[in-house]
Amino acid sequence: MSAQAQMRALLDQLMGTARDGDETRQRVKFTDDRVCKSHLLDCCPHDILAGTRMDLGECTKIHDLALRADYEIASKERDLFFELDAMDHLESFIAECDRRTELAKKRLAETQEEISAEVSAKAEKVHELNEDIGKLLAKAEQLGAEGNVDESQKILMEVEKVRAKKKEAEEEYRNSMPASSFQQQKLRVCEVCSAYLGLHDNDRRLADHFGGKLHLGFIQIREKLDQLRKTVAEKQEKRNQDRLRRREEREREERMGRRSGSRNRDRRRSRSRDRRRRRSRSASRERRKSRSRSRERHRRHRSRSRSHSRGHRRGSRDRSSKHKSSRDRSSREKSRDRERKEKSSSERRHESTNGKSRSKRSEEREAGEI
């Protein structure tokens, strides 16, 4: 990889896909199923074991450092729970490795001579001391490469102590079995990386194995798997607690709703009772008012009928009195008319008699004059 490509990869890892406004790189999101979730969590076996004896080649899913940066930025804001997918991936890989380890142990048991349990225990002790020496040497080399010389020297002193213990264990193992059998190369399968380890391997061979990339890679994968299991268990417990709390809150709200509903029903019932009572009271008032109004109307009708009857009697009396007075008046007028007529007739007779007498006088007068 050129220096420019390395710089580009470093920028992608630090700033993500949107570091330079390249929209073509944002077509695939880190949430896509085609993206390796183990790569986003920096625990994909294809990356860790690359360049070792058990190189797995390229992963079938997308590996991109920029997508890992996008995931790290997004995981600070919300929980994406990608640990479950990564845990399933690593569990399947470790299960396959453990299966190969068991097969290797069976093949060794078939090819090597059977030894007693006592001799096997002594050989197992020698193997354990070899592993301790190899791990300490690998750690001392790492510290020396980092420049921590004092710590590296302390570990080398511990290596010497373990070598002394190993020599004692080898003596016990050599004395417990025949010399012909002891000369045979006794192999053992590494429980971490399933590689073969010899009982008589020198310190350099042990240091190369336990400090090698393959063994350290398997240690990293197994430690990451344990960490993921712990993280997933904690998150699942938190989710269960949140789900339980939401359920309790929902049940509490439902109980409160039922209580409020019963209270509302009681209130509605009391209101309906009050309305019915008010309606019955108003209806009774209306009935009483209508009865009082009907009574009043009856009284008024009776009083009107009485007054009408009284007025009718008064009117009849008035009419009868008026009729009588009119009859008296008419009789009086008739009598007056008769009197006038009689008077006028008497006056006419008188006048006629007076005229006749006057005419006789005038004639006598005239005759006397003549």
Side-chain angles (χ1 to χ4, degrees), residues 145-318:
E146 293 175 355
N148 197 346
V149 181
D150 296 335
E151 293 293 332
S152 178
Q153 292 295 329
K154 291 179 181 179
I155 292 176
L156 290 177
M157 293 174 63
E158 293 180 4
V159 169
E160 294 297 329
K161 295 178 181 179
V162 177
R163 281 175 181 171
K165 292 180 181 179
K166 177 187 174 184
K167 187 179 290 187
E168 295 176 0
E170 285 179 347
E171 289 294 333
E172 292 179 0
Y173 174 65
R174 184 183 296 111
N175 295 330
S176 63
M177 61 185 307
S180 59
S181 299
F182 178 76
Q183 295 298 327
Q184 294 180 359
Q185 180 73 9
K186 295 295 181 181
L187 298 178
R188 183 186 178 190
V189 180
C190 180
E191 298 291 341
V192 177
C193 61
S194 69
Y196 290 104
L197 296 174
L199 183 64
H200 306 294
D201 287 339
N202 56 23
D203 295 343
R204 182 72 263 168
R205 170 75 174 82
L206 294 173
D208 290 341
H209 171 76
F210 289 105
K213 188 176 180 180
L214 178 63
H215 188 83
L216 295 177
F218 270 96
I219 291 176
Q220 181 181 353
I221 292 172
R222 292 179 183 275
E223 289 178 353
K224 191 65 177 180
L225 178 59
D226 295 337
Q227 183 181 355
L228 289 175
R229 286 173 177 169
K230 184 178 179 180
T231 304
V232 169
E234 291 176 355
K235 290 188 175 182
Q236 286 180 347
E237 182 66 22
K238 184 179 179 181
R239 280 192 174 186
N240 293 332
Q241 291 178 359
D242 294 340
R243 191 181 297 110
L244 182 61
R245 185 175 63 255
R246 288 194 298 270
R247 184 184 300 173
E248 291 177 354
E249 291 177 356
R250 187 167 57 252
E251 291 177 354
R252 191 182 303 110
E253 290 176 357
E254 290 177 356
R255 287 196 298 270
M256 294 297 292
R258 286 195 294 268
R259 291 177 182 175
S260 62
S262 62
R263 291 174 183 173
N264 293 330
R265 285 195 298 272
D266 295 338
R267 290 174 182 173
R268 287 196 295 271
R269 289 173 182 173
S270 62
R271 289 173 182 172
S272 61
R273 285 196 297 268
D274 294 338
R275 284 196 295 270
R276 287 196 296 271
R277 289 173 182 172
R278 287 196 296 270
R279 288 172 183 172
S280 61
R281 290 172 183 173
S282 61
S284 61
R285 291 196 198 97
E286 291 294 331
R287 286 194 295 271
R288 287 195 296 271
K289 289 179 180 179
S290 61
R291 289 174 183 172
S292 62
R293 285 195 295 268
S294 61
R295 291 172 183 170
E296 187 67 25
R297 285 196 299 271
H298 185 64
R299 293 194 188 105
R300 290 177 182 175
H301 181 68
R302 289 179 61 186
S303 62
R304 288 174 184 173
S305 61
R306 290 176 182 173
S307 61
H308 182 67
S309 60
R310 292 172 183 170
H312 182 67
R313 287 196 295 272
R314 291 175 183 173
S316 60
R317 286 198 295 270
D318 294 336

Side-chain angles (χ1 to χ4, degrees), residues 27 57 94 113 164 178 181 209 247 343 357:
R27 293 177 182 175
I94 294 297
E113 295 181 4
S181 299
H209 171 76
R247 184 184 300 173
K343 187 175 181 180
S357 61

Side-chain angles (χ1 to χ4, degrees), residues 9-47:
L10 182 60
L11 289 174
D12 290 340
Q13 186 176 2
L14 292 175
M15 303 179 64
T17 56
R19 63 179 177 85
D20 53 358
D22 189 1
E23 297 180 356
T24 59
R25 302 190 63 185
Q26 298 181 15
R27 293 177 182 175
V28 178
K29 303 294 183 181
F30 68 91
T31 56
D32 198 317
D33 293 336
R34 296 174 293 174
V35 179
C36 180
K37 303 302 185 293
S38 301
H39 170 72
L40 297 179
L41 293 167
D42 194 16
C43 61
C44 183
H46 295 266
D47 294 336

